[in-house]
Amino acid sequence: MGPSTYARLIRFLQEDLALSASSISIALRHLEQDPGPLPMILWQYGLVTLEQLDRIYDWLESA
């Protein structure tokens, strides 16, 4: 994922899914320690629901 897609994903998470900046920040900290797909980290830590996870992957597919 390129930097512009990554920035758009963060914006999607904040604006469309109404995730707080602190939730995203938590996921990004965990991402540094345990690299993996950001959407999966958000889900693993209970920051998004399974339905939201599906929406994220749908968005990524069309981005």
Side-chain angles (χ1 to χ4, degrees), residues 22-59:
S22 61
S23 292
I24 294 170
S25 192
I26 289 168
L28 291 175
R29 270 186 268 135
H30 285 289
L31 187 63
E32 291 172 4
Q33 298 167 359
D34 185 19
L38 180 60
M40 288 305 297
I41 289 173
L42 289 165
W43 179 71
Q44 287 173 333
Y45 286 94
L47 302 171
V48 296
T49 65
L50 198 51
E51 181 182 303
Q52 289 172 314
L53 183 63
D54 283 340
R55 286 185 60 197
I56 293 168
Y57 277 113
D58 287 344
W59 182 89

